[in-house]
Amino acid sequence: MSIEEITNYKAISESLASSGQPEELQFKEIAEAGFEVVINLAMPNSDNAIPEEGYIVTARKMMYVHLAVPFESPTAEHLRSFFSLMQAFEGKKCWVHCVVNYRVSAFLYQYFRLVHKVSSEEAKKVIIAEWEPNLVWRDFMGLEGKDVGL
């Protein structure tokens, strides 16, 4: 088993990866790949959620943060919290996941666009190719010309 087998895995950089929900045993692979932090953007009652994920991750000597983002209603506050987390863990090897890597794609897109000031085209490279964002997420990402309200 390898991290590449995790649902919608995407290597963003040497120190950042994203995915859908890893299975319990896949957290061992994530730890063995040198990741130090796991950030979960899924809701606790999401499909395939692992109730004891925090314990599983911390037992593998990684830090764990759960920032639950409702799929139907992401907010600017969620995004600000995510930016703060990314800043707090700068220099650490981070794995960010949700259910299928849709939330994470949107959050990382905004992170690179708004924090790192890369172009929209460059930031779109973090979005998984399989995803066609609905209107809620297109608005959240500013793809409809709306401002997320930061």
Side-chain angles (χ1 to χ4, degrees):
M1 188 180 300
S2 71
I3 60 174
E4 289 83 11
E5 295 174 44
I6 297 172
T7 303
N8 291 329
Y9 163 78
K10 187 166 184 78
I12 308 297
S13 69
E14 287 290 316
S15 61
L16 181 61
S18 68
S19 74
Q21 177 67 56
E23 295 174 12
E24 184 174 339
L25 292 176
Q26 291 173 321
F27 286 108
K28 178 179 185 240
E29 305 298 324
I30 292 169
E32 288 175 355
F35 286 89
E36 302 165 276
V37 178
V38 172
I39 300 172
N40 177 1
L41 300 184
M43 295 298 290
N45 61 346
S46 293
D47 292 344
N48 303 320
I50 302 172
E52 56 283 335
E53 182 174 328
Y55 171 77
I56 293 164
V57 170
T58 55
R60 300 260 180 233
K61 309 277 190 269
M62 296 181 287
M63 288 180 266
Y64 179 74
V65 179
H66 189 184
L67 173 61
V69 177
F71 191 78
E72 308 76 28
S73 55
T75 66
E77 186 58 39
H78 292 124
L79 192 58
R80 279 191 289 276
S81 295
F82 180 72
F83 290 173
S84 294
L85 288 171
M86 295 300 287
Q87 182 178 11
F89 294 123
E90 196 170 320
K92 301 268 187 214
K93 195 167 180 180
C94 292
W95 188 283
V96 187
H97 83 83
C98 57
V99 179
V100 290
N101 202 353
Y102 293 170
R103 289 174 183 90
V104 175
S105 287
F107 274 68
L108 287 175
Y109 168 79
Q110 288 288 57
Y111 174 70
F112 280 98
R113 198 173 70 80
L114 299 173
V115 175
H116 288 283
K117 307 292 187 200
V118 303
S119 70
S120 290
E121 286 308 308
E122 186 68 21
K124 283 180 183 175
K125 292 178 181 176
V126 304
I127 300 171
I128 60 169
E130 299 81 19
W131 188 34
E132 288 291 327
N134 65 21
L135 188 57
V136 167
W137 286 98
R138 291 185 63 76
D139 282 348
F140 180 82
M141 296 164 69
L143 300 176
E144 298 297 317
K146 291 187 177 179
D147 182 359
V148 73
L150 289 180

